Each structure stands twice: as structure tokens, then as C-alpha cells.
Amino acid sequence: MTPRLKTGLCALTLALRTLLREWRSGELGVLLFQANRMQEATQEFQKAQGNGARKVQCLNYIGQCFARRGMNDLAARTFQNAIKEKPSFDEEKKELVFGLGCVLEKMGKSEEAIEQFKSIYEIDIGYQNVAEKIETYYSKQSQGSGT
């Protein structure tokens, strides 16, 4: 084996080990999340977010972990960072926007929350309970204006 080939194989082996470690961290994070061990799950997702292909998924889980622990400001910031990573409004982005809206509701930021839910409602009226949230919001608006 030539020195150049040996160096290349060593670099490839190191890269594969790193990817495998990041993948395993993400999987362990999911198991810990499902076991309601939020602090440990957060740590595993933070390790795994270095894997570009899973970064948004890990940020979503981190946001959910923070929300379940009552750390709503951290959850909101994490969801916002994940949303910035998603140019297209696919199912994953809907989940992130919905999570952000729910956290903003918990923080008492109703107007900011409803804007998140509206962005989902505009493209998917059937997503989770977004329609109910929007209908309730407009019902309160019309009652408040006397119409």
C-alpha cells in the first residue's frame, strides 16, 4: 500500500467514525427523549447536530426538550434557529413553526404565536389543531370589535 493510499484510507476511516458517532448520538437522543429524560436527550442532540443531514431534526428535538423542561425562551430561540435552516415550507418546517407557536403561547406572546399558526394555516388548514387556533382567534377578534 502506498503512503498516499494509506493516508487517504486513514482520513476516510476517521470521517466514517465521526459520522457513525454523530448518528448514534442522534439515535440515543431519540431513545432518551422517548423515555422523558430531557436533559440527557438534549445533550445527545447537541452532539449529533454536527451531522448536517440531521441538524434541523436535532434542533427540533432540542427545542422540544427545552419546552418540556419549561425553558420556553431557549425553546423559542432553538425553533427559530431551526426554521432559518429550512428554506422550503415542508412537513418538517410546519412542525418547527407549530412548536414555536406553542412555545410563544406558553410565554404569553399570543400575537406572535398566532402569526406562526397563520403561516401554517395559509398552506395547510388541516395541520394539527391550527384551524381551531385560527378560528378561536378570529372569533375573539370579532367579539371584541362588536360585530
Side-chain angles (χ1 to χ4, degrees), residues 63 66-80 96-114 116-117 133:
F66 286 148
R68 287 191 183 183
R69 294 176 65 202
M71 300 173 171
N72 295 320
D73 58 332
L74 292 174
R77 187 171 27 216
T78 302
F79 285 129
Q80 289 166 340
L96 293 165
V97 171
F98 187 81
L100 176 58
C102 291
V103 167
L104 291 170
E105 272 185 330
K106 288 180 189 174
M107 295 171 72
K109 297 182 176 186
S110 304
E111 290 300 317
E112 290 178 53
I114 203 68
Q116 301 303 314
F117 299 134
K133 290 178 179 293

Side-chain angles (χ1 to χ4, degrees), residues 41-58:
T42 301
Q43 185 175 10
E44 291 303 319
F45 290 125
Q46 287 171 334
K47 289 178 194 174
Q49 72 179 322
N51 177 348
R54 298 184 72 170
K55 181 177 183 176
V56 173
Q57 178 188 25
C58 290

